[in-house]
Amino acid sequence: MEDDAPVIYGLEFQARALTAQTAETESIRFLVGTQSLKYDNQIHIVDFDDENNIINKNVLLHQVGEIWHLSASPADKSVLTTCYSKTSDSKVVTCAAVWRMPKELESGNHESPDDSSSNPQTLELLCHLDNTAHGNMACVLWEPMGDGKRLVSLADNYVQLWDLQGSSNKAVISSSATLEGKGQLKLTSGRWSPHHNCTQVATANDTAIRGWDIRSMSQIYCIENAHGQLVRDLDFNPNKQYYLASCGDDCKVKFWDVRNINEPVKSLEDHSHWVWSVRYNQSHDQLVLTGSSDSRVILSNMVSISSEPFGHLVDEDDLSDQEDNPQEDRRKEPLQDSIIATYEEHEDSVYAVEWSSADPWLFASLSYDGRLVINRVPRALKYQILL
């Protein structure tokens, strides 16, 4: 079987929530949450055996409702959060909770029993992120590289910082901020920056992107009209502390330097419909994945704005030296940005793309019809980056 061939897994349910199991760095593992009105919802634990190119799966029941967002603890393989909708007093509300999966499922490399789907296991509820006062949960973010005890939730127009206490069975709000201003003040997505000692969070609402300092819960920057329509997703460059990617319903993917918010550093228009998801590769930040309602996944090589614009690591001083002495190094032109590949294995809107936390060359994409596709960065490019 050809090395770069995709591997496809069908869930038999509609789905839009996907995450890598962040704390699992040995085996390739993704979690997928379903959206079913008729049946009990589920979380599928998908283990990819890359030597044999096969998928093993285990199923966990999530009986409380349809899953809109999934997030895995950075510190504890068995812990995750879901944002889910339930009907309460005949209106639909979106809640969030912290769960623990059964001990025997917390690590990868499982041979899945043939009857796992007919005999699903249950999740243990650790605690609710109880925000009854603050409307609907859009997403929950874990503190990157943290000890798995701090979370940020985005609900309607509230940004809330939570501390998990004890064995994560109690969640307490330690501080919160309220979104104010004009336009639609409903938070749609966000990311917690791995830089600045993890003190900054970026959020999206309507067409705006805002940065927050979570120590003071104050706004640091606001990109008012970052996109022409709703902003769907954000991601921070793992190596360049001021760089942020965004995507939205204007079909665009934009890259920002938050020190200069007047215009994007770069803008891509390669999708033909809403762009739902954007993700930087955590090891090689020139590799950027996007997923869209045009049913396509695009892998781009954004090398000119990466931490390796010349194909090798460059620090800020090198660049300023070059500016001082421009004629000295004309031949070192930055490499050109390009689309590496367009993946067309989906037939429905691609709501999520995620890189594996165990293998930097492997990623998953999920479309609404419940199709999960696992792909690899083309080998030729992998060796070009490595060598």
Side-chain angles (χ1 to χ4, degrees), residues 57-325:
K57 75 159 194 312
N58 284 278
V59 175
L60 297 167
L61 279 182
H62 183 273
Q63 285 151 318
V64 287
E66 291 187 275
I67 301 170
W68 290 86
H69 186 264
L70 259 182
S71 196
S73 163
D76 185 334
K77 291 180 196 181
S78 64
V79 175
L80 62 136
T81 56
T82 60
C83 296
Y84 60 91
S85 50
K86 66 172 189 184
T87 309
S88 159
D89 306 330
S90 75
K91 69 174 206 275
V92 177
V93 291
T94 313
C95 312
V98 185
W99 308 88
R100 186 184 293 284
M101 63 175 73
K103 193 91 186 126
E104 65 273 17
L105 292 182
E106 69 177 52
S107 290
N109 281 337
H110 280 280
E111 290 301 316
S112 40
D114 298 333
D115 61 350
S116 69
S117 43
S118 55
N119 184 16
Q121 306 211 38
T122 47
L123 284 161
E124 176 195 350
L125 173 67
L126 293 177
C127 60
H128 288 283
L129 299 183
D130 188 15
N131 68 323
T132 32
H134 299 320
N136 289 312
M137 282 281 185
C139 66
V140 174
L141 316 169
W142 293 88
E143 179 180 30
M145 286 107 60
D147 58 2
K149 294 294 179 190
R150 296 215 308 163
L151 297 163
V152 161
S153 69
L154 307 181
D156 283 349
N157 60 330
Y158 292 91
V159 181
Q160 293 175 310
L161 181 63
W162 301 78
D163 286 326
L164 293 181
Q165 297 182 342
S167 44
S168 300
N169 49 8
K170 185 175 185 207
V172 179
I173 296 178
S174 58
S175 56
S176 65
T178 312
L179 193 58
E180 287 160 0
K182 47 190 197 298
Q184 168 64 309
L185 295 176
K186 190 175 183 308
L187 294 159
T188 47
S189 69
R191 290 299 266 186
W192 195 323
S193 170
H195 308 293
H196 315 289
N197 292 328
C198 298
T199 55
Q200 296 186 11
V201 167
T203 61
N205 71 287
D206 200 13
T207 61
I209 298 169
R210 291 161 206 269
W212 304 84
D213 183 325
I214 58 170
R215 294 166 298 188
S216 55
M217 274 297 180
S218 55
Q219 195 172 292
I220 329 168
Y221 55 84
C222 178
I223 309 171
E224 286 284 2
N225 290 301
H227 285 264
Q229 294 174 51
L230 188 69
V231 181
R232 290 280 175 192
D233 199 18
L234 306 170
D235 200 21
F236 283 98
N237 184 312
N239 299 320
K240 296 184 77 170
Q241 58 181 341
Y242 299 106
Y243 275 59
L244 175 70
S246 63
C247 62
D249 286 1
D250 57 2
C251 312
K252 292 179 183 172
V253 178
K254 296 186 181 184
F255 298 87
W256 305 90
D257 178 336
V258 299
R259 295 167 299 184
N260 174 19
I261 56 174
N262 297 327
E263 54 185 324
V265 180
K266 198 99 187 178
S267 185
L268 304 180
E269 298 182 45
D270 300 318
H271 285 288
S272 56
H273 208 280
W274 306 339
V275 188
W276 284 88
S277 187
V278 59
R279 287 289 176 268
Y280 276 105
N281 185 296
Q282 292 302 295
S283 306
H284 306 282
D285 58 87
Q286 67 265 49
L287 302 178
V288 177
L289 276 176
T290 51
S292 160
S293 289
D294 63 11
S295 307
R296 295 184 306 161
V297 173
I298 295 179
L299 174 60
S300 301
N301 193 7
M302 301 307 298
V303 65
S304 73
I305 54 171
S306 74
S307 56
E308 305 190 352
F310 302 96
H312 59 85
L313 206 59
V314 172
D315 65 28
E316 306 283 323
D317 301 340
D318 293 354
L319 290 175
S320 51
D321 291 350
Q322 234 176 314
E323 282 154 22
D324 301 341
N325 197 348

